[in-house]
Amino acid sequence: MSKEPMRVAIMQPYFFPHLPYFQMAAAVDLFVVLDTVQYIRRGWVNRNQVLHDGRPRYLTVPVALQPRTTLIKDIRLAQDADRGGRRIVNQLHATLGDAPAFEGMMDVAAPALAEIKPARGLVDVNLAGLAEVFGALAISTPVIRASQLAPRDRETASAYLIALCREVGATEYVNAAGGRALYDAAEFDRHNISLRFVEGAPRMAAEDTGHSILNVLARNELSTVRTMLGDVALLS
C-alpha cells in the first residue's frame, strides 16, 4: 500500500498576498513561512496592491530603516507605523468602500491591521493577516516559520529548500507555476522529493489573481472565494 504524499509549500510571508498564495496553502499539508532570506525593499513583504477604477493602488506597511542584508525575520516596523496602519484603513475605505463585500473584508483585515505598531516585527503582522484569511476561508493547513527549522547553511536556494523539506518529512515540494524556471526537478528527485506546481484556472480574472486577497474578499462573498481555492491543478 503506497504512502500518502506529504505536500509542503515554502513561501515568503507577504502582506495580504494574492489569491494564488492561498490556493497553494490550501493544497498542501504544511505551509512553511520563509522568513530566513534577505528582505527585498519594494517587494511584497511589506506592501501589496488593490484595484481602484481599474488602476492598482499600493497599501504599504512602514518599516524601520535597516541594512540591506537584514533577514525578513528581523525586519521591524517604523516608529510611526501606527499612523501607517490607519492610512491603510483609510485607503481601503477610499478604494474598496463601494465593493459589495467590503464590510466582510474589513472584518477579516482589521485584526491584522491593528497589529501595525511601532517596532513590531513585520513577520508577526503578516502572519496575523494570514491567520485571519485562513480562518475566513476555512484553510486548516498548519503554518510554521523556517526560522524554527534548519539553519540556512546551504550554498544554494534549492539546497536550502530541500533541507527544509527533509526536516519536515515532505515527499512533495509545491511551488507556484512561475517557479518552473527556478528549480531542477532532478535535484529534488535525488532526495526523494517530487517537485509540483500549482496552476490556476485560465478563466480566473486578473483582479482575482494579480492583486491582494483583500481585493478579492471585498468583491466576493466568502463562499465564492472558498470555491476559488480549489480552482487549481497540481502539475509536475
Side-chain angles (χ1 to χ4, degrees):
M1 185 174 179
S2 61
K3 185 179 178 181
E4 286 293 317
M6 165 62 166
R7 291 177 178 147
V8 172
I10 305 173
M11 294 291 292
Q12 292 185 28
Y14 299 135
F15 178 67
F16 285 112
H18 60 3
L19 176 64
Y21 190 101
F22 295 96
Q23 290 173 317
M24 185 185 306
V28 299
D29 302 299
L30 179 66
F31 194 84
V32 179
V33 170
L34 190 62
D35 60 348
T36 49
V37 296
Q38 183 179 329
Y39 169 74
I40 303 299
R41 297 180 184 180
R42 300 183 182 87
W44 301 110
V45 178
N46 78 309
R47 66 177 187 168
N48 218 307
Q49 296 176 334
V50 294
L51 278 179
H52 179 59
D53 290 338
R55 298 175 58 190
R57 306 289 186 181
Y58 280 103
L59 309 173
T60 303
V61 179
V63 298
L65 185 62
Q66 286 146 116
R68 288 186 178 274
T69 55
T70 304
L71 301 182
I72 292 173
K73 68 183 182 67
D74 298 321
I75 293 292
R76 317 303 293 182
L77 302 193
Q79 288 302 314
D80 63 347
D82 46 355
R83 185 188 309 167
R86 291 193 296 272
R87 181 168 59 248
I88 291 174
V89 171
N90 291 336
Q91 286 177 293
L92 289 173
H93 279 273
T95 56
L96 298 175
D98 293 334
F102 174 77
E103 294 299 333
M105 178 276 289
M106 287 302 297
D107 288 342
V108 175
L113 296 179
E115 296 296 319
I116 300 177
K117 300 174 182 177
R120 188 76 193 272
L122 178 59
V123 175
D124 294 331
V125 172
N126 290 358
L127 287 185
L130 291 186
E132 292 297 328
V133 178
F134 273 37
L137 299 183
I139 299 173
S140 59
T141 307
V143 178
I144 60 173
R145 302 187 190 203
S147 53
Q148 298 173 253
L149 301 173
R152 185 167 186 182
D153 56 0
R154 307 306 196 277
E155 292 184 1
T156 67
S158 290
Y160 180 49
L161 294 175
I162 289 169
L164 291 175
C165 286
R166 287 170 60 86
E167 182 166 351
V168 299
T171 59
E172 294 185 3
Y173 169 56
V174 179
N175 203 294
R180 285 183 181 278
L182 301 177
Y183 305 112
D184 179 7
E187 183 178 0
F188 284 80
D189 285 340
R190 285 193 291 272
H191 296 274
N192 298 313
I193 301 169
S194 299
L195 190 56
R196 306 290 297 277
F197 298 94
V198 172
E199 187 142 317
R203 65 179 175 274
M204 295 187 72
E207 69 179 39
D208 290 333
T209 60
H211 301 90
S212 170
I213 188 68
L214 300 181
N215 199 80
V216 180
L217 292 173
R219 300 176 190 278
N220 300 273
E221 295 298 327
L222 283 177
S223 58
T224 301
V225 184
R226 290 180 189 131
T227 300
M228 291 177 180
L229 289 179
D231 209 3
V232 296
L234 273 181
L235 307 176
S236 299

